Amino acid sequence: MAREFQRGHKARISDLTAGTDLYVGVQIGAPGLKFDISCFGLDADERLSDDRYFIFYNQPKSPEEAVQLLGAQAGDTESFRVTLDRIPPQIHKLSFTATVDGAGQMSQIAPGYLRIVAGGEEVARYAFSGAEFSTERAVMLGDFYLKDVWRFAAVGQGFDGGLEALLKNFGGEVLEEEAPAAPQEPQSSAAPGFAPPAAQPAAPPAFGAPSPPEPAPAPQGYAPPAGATPPPSPAPAPSVHAQPTIVAPLAPTGGTVPPPPAPPAPYGGPQPPHGPHPGQATMPPGYGRPQAPQAPAPPPGYGQQPPAPPGYGQQPYGQIPGQQTAPQGAPQGPGVAAALQQFKETPAGQRWTQQNKKLVRVDLGVGGQPVLARQGSMVLYQGKVDFSYKGAGFAGRLVGNATGQEMQLMRCTGHGQVFLAEEATHLHPIELQGDAICVSAESVLAFDESLQYEVRRIEGHGIPGGALFTMQFSGVGTIVVKTHGTPVVLPVTPTTFADCNAVVAWSAASQVIVSSQVRMRRNAYAGDTGESVNLQFRGAPGNFIVVQPFEV
């Protein structure tokens, strides 16, 4: 199921799909208007320093074919193929844009979308409409940008000028318009791993273009849509996914394949030999062959290399260096390591890394900024880390006591890794890039000290429990929000109401007021629904709320 994006939302590509060969489709249209859909390959300064990475109708691919213009297919007005692992290191962002060709404004467009397809399955979709724009004639729809890893952002930012203004914004030069090059004849081979689902018929070929030949059969699971124009083939190197699986021999080259090994002996008991010599009768384990003293038990597989235990070159869990075979009845080292393999630490070079749904790790050495965390939330740390009390000051304590939004925090500094959790609640790191989010102080576990936070009042006559206020976080950094159970994120509409005891967070641009259906205390009389006081949310498209399946 595709993940729905709102304007301003961001996500790692690896969270959407494990593939790097992606299809990007854009659907945009308006009566009587024509659109030019392009892709700008930008450097670290977000400038078009190499015009060979301006992909449009007159330059349909980049030099190494990492970005290719495919044309209209599968119901999309325009489509691209993006191979992330082939993008050169000087390109840090791919910006997909749409401009009006001629007179017209973006406010006239019908509902459209930008979608990402991987392996024939749609994994992300950003929907937009003309109601989000006014007099703009160009719009940046979405970006692929490199920040430690490749990420996707739904942008939706417009420009009053057309393609010329867009080029100047990216530092490009506007040249005299030349006659468009004749469309290239599509090749017959299908490109693996990027095509969208074949649910809709393909668009007809452009005027004057030759009829496309019948495409050659593609590898199973990667075929483009039926009847659609197949994209150009990449480099002649064969895809590793299309090659047959090669099984390694069980015996050395030139040797004799030994018979299947006997079942392993009980833990601590005598171990069978690695295999009889050619022509020798198989003997029961341990008979006729003295076992070497103090020899550790062989790992599973009898002669094969055991899987690497967790710890990256360290000893397996439960095994001390130089330790001999455990006595009879005790678990062996490889067995313990195999049992604990699924719980090993998740490696990453990022500042915040989620280990599982209920545990998060912060690397203080990345970024060099301290972290503020709820007191007592540290469960493990590695390295040289200092924990100190973070006071709110006299004024902060007064505001916290009066509003109920007081946070008992500790300050984590130094060079090391700190693991944070609290009462097995679900944790959700949220990255802020200059935007803001409102979260109740009770739902905050930790955040970067670089973020600004303040108490914000909620309009209305009161909320049960006295929660008339919330905390607003803004700036650049990460905040870790905790929930009871898996939350749901919903867009804000004029008729969006949420239970004040279940809502966790919402976008700062939303307007929140208290809505009381019955003006009496909850459960005051028999027959009360228990849903007498709710929060009503209002806001422009792109605003959201987060609700947990639990009432505090």
Side-chain angles (χ1 to χ4, degrees):
M1 182 177 180
R3 178 173 172 180
E4 297 288 340
F5 280 72
Q6 301 289 335
R7 181 168 57 183
H9 288 188
K10 305 172 183 178
R12 298 181 181 91
I13 298 293
S14 57
D15 293 340
L16 303 175
T17 175
T20 58
D21 202 0
L22 308 177
Y23 172 97
V24 179
V26 176
Q27 205 283 325
I28 185 171
L33 297 185
K34 294 182 180 180
F35 296 87
D36 292 329
I37 302 173
S38 312
C39 176
F40 291 80
L42 310 177
D43 57 19
D45 297 325
E46 297 191 4
R47 309 293 286 178
L48 184 65
S49 56
D50 189 344
D51 57 6
R52 296 178 302 170
Y53 291 90
F54 174 33
I55 310 303
F56 64 116
Y57 63 88
N58 209 23
Q59 185 169 258
K61 60 183 178 181
S62 60
E64 72 291 326
E65 299 185 354
V67 184
Q68 304 176 43
L69 185 68
L70 305 179
Q73 59 176 329
D76 298 332
T77 309
E78 188 62 271
S79 60
F80 299 82
R81 180 188 182 186
V82 177
T83 310
L84 293 178
D85 52 5
R86 297 177 64 182
I87 296 176
Q90 69 269 21
I91 301 300
H92 287 244
K93 177 182 286 189
L94 299 177
S95 182
F96 297 91
T97 66
T99 58
V100 178
D101 184 9
Q105 299 176 352
M106 284 295 173
S107 59
Q108 301 174 246
I109 64 174
Y113 59 78
L114 181 147
R115 62 172 180 159
I116 303 175
V117 179
E121 179 182 359
E122 183 175 324
V123 297
R125 176 181 288 249
Y126 162 49
F128 53 87
S129 66
E132 303 176 29
F133 310 104
S134 56
T135 60
E136 297 93 335
R137 299 185 59 247
V139 61
M140 294 189 297
L141 299 175
D143 292 342
F144 285 1
Y145 66 101
L146 185 61
K147 184 181 179 183
D148 300 328
V149 295
W150 281 103
R151 304 165 186 251
F152 170 71
V155 181
Q157 178 180 347
F159 286 83
D160 285 339
L163 184 59
E164 180 178 350
L166 207 56
L167 277 168
K168 291 181 178 179
N169 176 72
F170 292 136
E173 296 181 359
V174 181
L175 303 178
E176 294 184 4
E177 185 175 358
E178 300 177 0
Q184 299 179 354
E185 182 176 352
Q187 302 179 12
S188 59
S189 58
F194 73 93
Q200 302 181 15
F207 290 108
S211 299
E214 184 177 355
Q220 184 177 2
Y222 298 98
T229 303
S233 177
S239 172
V240 295
H241 300 287
Q243 302 301 316
T245 303
I246 300 177
V247 181
L250 299 179
T253 305
T256 305
V257 178
Y267 289 116
Q271 301 296 328
H274 288 286
H277 296 288
Q280 180 180 358
T282 304
M283 302 175 62
Y287 286 88
R289 292 174 183 257
Q291 194 170 5
Q294 304 299 328
Y302 295 93
Q304 300 178 7
Q305 192 71 16
Y312 301 97
Q314 303 174 3
Q315 292 292 329
Y317 294 110
Q319 183 174 344
I320 304 175
Q323 183 181 10
Q324 303 298 326
T325 306
Q328 185 175 1
Q332 301 292 322
V336 175
L340 300 179
Q341 182 76 9
Q342 58 179 321
F343 306 115
K344 69 176 184 178
E345 177 185 0
T346 302
Q350 302 175 9
R351 179 168 172 84
W352 294 88
T353 307
Q354 195 158 7
Q355 302 298 301
N356 52 53
K357 294 181 179 179
K358 303 177 182 180
L359 186 67
V360 67
R361 182 191 69 199
V362 56
D363 192 339
L364 299 178
V366 178
Q369 291 290 333
V371 166
L372 300 179
R374 186 177 293 273
Q375 293 179 10
S377 60
M378 185 274 294
V379 296
L380 170 71
Y381 75 91
Q382 296 174 316
K384 188 176 180 180
V385 180
D386 180 60
F387 300 92
S388 59
Y389 173 73
K390 171 63 176 177
F394 180 75
R397 288 196 299 269
L398 287 179
V399 173
N401 292 332
T403 62
Q405 298 297 308
E406 183 177 9
M407 296 185 292
Q408 302 293 333
L409 301 174
M410 62 179 180
R411 193 168 185 259
C412 309
T413 58
H415 296 278
Q417 300 171 334
V418 182
F419 294 76
L420 303 171
E422 186 176 67
E423 297 181 353
T425 53
H426 289 218
L427 304 181
H428 313 277
I430 301 176
E431 180 183 2
L432 300 181
Q433 293 290 340
D435 43 356
I437 188 172
C438 293
V439 188
S440 173
E442 181 63 27
S443 300
V444 177
L445 179 72
F447 55 93
D448 286 322
E449 193 178 43
S450 58
L451 292 177
Q452 295 83 40
Y453 58 96
E454 61 181 354
V455 178
R456 178 177 172 181
R457 185 176 184 273
I458 300 176
E459 300 293 337
H461 299 287
I463 302 176
L468 290 167
F469 304 86
T470 187
M471 298 296 298
Q472 177 174 310
F473 292 82
S474 60
V476 178
T478 299
I479 176 175
V480 180
V481 178
K482 59 178 185 174
T483 64
H484 295 270
T486 303
V488 61
V489 179
L490 298 174
V492 171
T493 65
T495 57
T496 298
F497 296 83
D499 192 305
C500 57
N501 295 312
V503 65
V504 176
W506 59 86
S507 53
S510 301
Q511 180 187 6
V512 187
I513 60 175
V514 177
S515 173
S516 300
Q517 295 183 359
V518 181
R519 298 190 179 277
M520 61 179 66
R521 285 192 59 186
R522 179 184 268 189
N523 298 327
Y525 298 97
D528 181 28
T529 64
E531 306 293 344
S532 57
V533 179
N534 300 315
L535 294 180
Q536 182 180 6
F537 293 83
R538 300 173 182 174
N543 289 282
F544 62 89
I545 61 171
V546 182
V547 180
Q548 63 184 357
F550 181 86
E551 294 190 12
V552 295

